[in-house]
Amino acid sequence: FLQADIIVKSVIIILILASIYSWTIIVDKIIRINRLKKLDKDFDEIFWSGNSFEDLYETFNYNQHDPKSRIFCSAIDEWRKSNADSGTIEKGGINSLKERMFRSMQVTFNKESENIEKNITFLATAGSTAPFIGLFGTVWGIMNSFKSIAIAQNTNLAVVAPGIAEALFATALGLFVAIPAVVAYNKITSDLSKYFISLETFMDEFTTIFFRQLENK
């Protein structure tokens, strides 16, 4: 590395920084996904315990770390605003209320999903570009080898070895960055996709249960 020229050094430094940042994202997302799964399980246990929506709201309103709690509270907030404005919900206004509550939940869902998915695209970028960056370093190292041959007018291994070593190291480093990034990206996006589906399912189930109770009053 110390004997490499500025171009190869730059390639190696870029790949090392990309690897460090990729692993930072990977570890952060794995920890967060595990925490979200635990919060999701705790939420379901409380939500399906049979308590009233008002009691559930008082419980979940203090939990600002769980996306599902925020989605639930956003819907109840919209319902409370409608009650405060009109006093009672007329039969004809139920559909309008349902639309407003679902829209409120959808906005919260979008914000939460965007926050959870933050920086994940870097893994895809690193996975797709790191091999080519490494390949650039490889090509440059081989060019240096040919220059060394031309200058020394000697094909001895000692003349070409430094440039070839630079080339191989850049290639290996590019793969070292790309492979974990691609594997982690696929795993993380798969887990988050399942989690987001569970949130969307909850939104549908909650809407159905809430308005069934509202219509039966």
Side-chain angles (χ1 to χ4, degrees):
F1 173 79
L2 294 178
Q3 294 178 356
D5 69 359
I6 188 64
I7 300 298
V8 178
K9 283 182 179 178
S10 299
V11 168
I12 293 173
I13 291 173
I14 289 171
L15 291 173
I16 290 174
L17 293 176
S19 178
I20 293 173
Y21 190 50
S22 294
W23 279 105
T24 301
I25 295 173
I26 292 169
V27 172
D28 175 70
K29 295 304 178 185
I30 290 175
I31 293 174
R32 187 166 190 180
I33 288 172
N34 289 334
R35 185 168 65 246
L36 288 174
K37 288 180 179 178
K38 183 180 183 304
L39 291 171
D40 187 67
K41 182 179 179 181
D42 294 340
F43 178 94
D44 287 342
E45 289 178 356
I46 298 174
F47 182 82
W48 299 107
S49 62
N51 293 327
S52 66
F53 289 125
E54 289 81 0
D55 292 337
L56 292 173
Y57 177 83
E58 296 302 325
T59 300
F60 294 134
N61 195 37
Y62 293 101
N63 187 2
Q64 298 299 319
H65 302 289
D66 179 22
K68 191 176 283 188
S69 295
R70 292 177 179 174
I71 290 173
F72 170 80
C73 290
S74 67
I76 299 299
D77 283 335
E78 185 62 36
W79 172 61
R80 286 185 166 185
K81 290 177 184 177
S82 298
N83 271 344
D85 293 340
S86 60
T88 59
I89 303 297
E90 301 293 337
K91 289 291 183 181
I94 288 181
N95 289 333
S96 176
L97 174 61
K98 182 185 295 186
E99 182 180 348
R100 293 196 303 273
M101 288 179 65
F102 195 83
R103 188 184 302 119
S104 178
M105 288 190 293
Q106 189 65 49
V107 169
T108 304
F109 170 83
N110 291 338
K111 290 180 179 178
E112 293 298 323
S113 60
E114 182 179 354
N115 183 45
I116 293 171
E117 291 180 320
K118 186 178 180 181
N119 296 328
I120 288 181
T121 53
F122 181 83
L123 296 179
T125 302
S128 60
T129 60
F132 295 102
I133 296 175
L135 183 61
F136 174 75
T138 300
V139 173
W140 197 268
I142 293 174
M143 289 172 57
N144 288 337
S145 296
F146 283 121
K147 288 180 180 179
S148 299
I149 292 173
I151 294 172
Q153 295 183 352
N154 186 354
T155 59
N156 190 286
L157 184 61
V159 176
V160 299
I164 294 177
E166 295 171 13
L168 295 177
F169 185 68
T171 302
L173 197 56
L175 294 175
F176 179 77
V177 175
I179 293 174
V182 171
V183 173
Y185 176 79
N186 291 335
K187 172 62 176 173
I188 291 171
T189 53
S190 176
D191 289 345
L192 289 182
S193 177
K194 294 176 183 177
Y195 178 72
F196 292 148
I197 289 175
S198 73
L199 292 182
E200 292 174 337
T201 301
F202 165 75
M203 290 164 60
D204 292 333
E205 290 177 341
F206 166 69
T207 302
T208 301
I209 295 171
F210 182 86
F211 283 96
R212 183 188 299 128
Q213 292 185 10
L214 193 63
E215 290 171 356
N216 290 336
K217 287 183 179 181

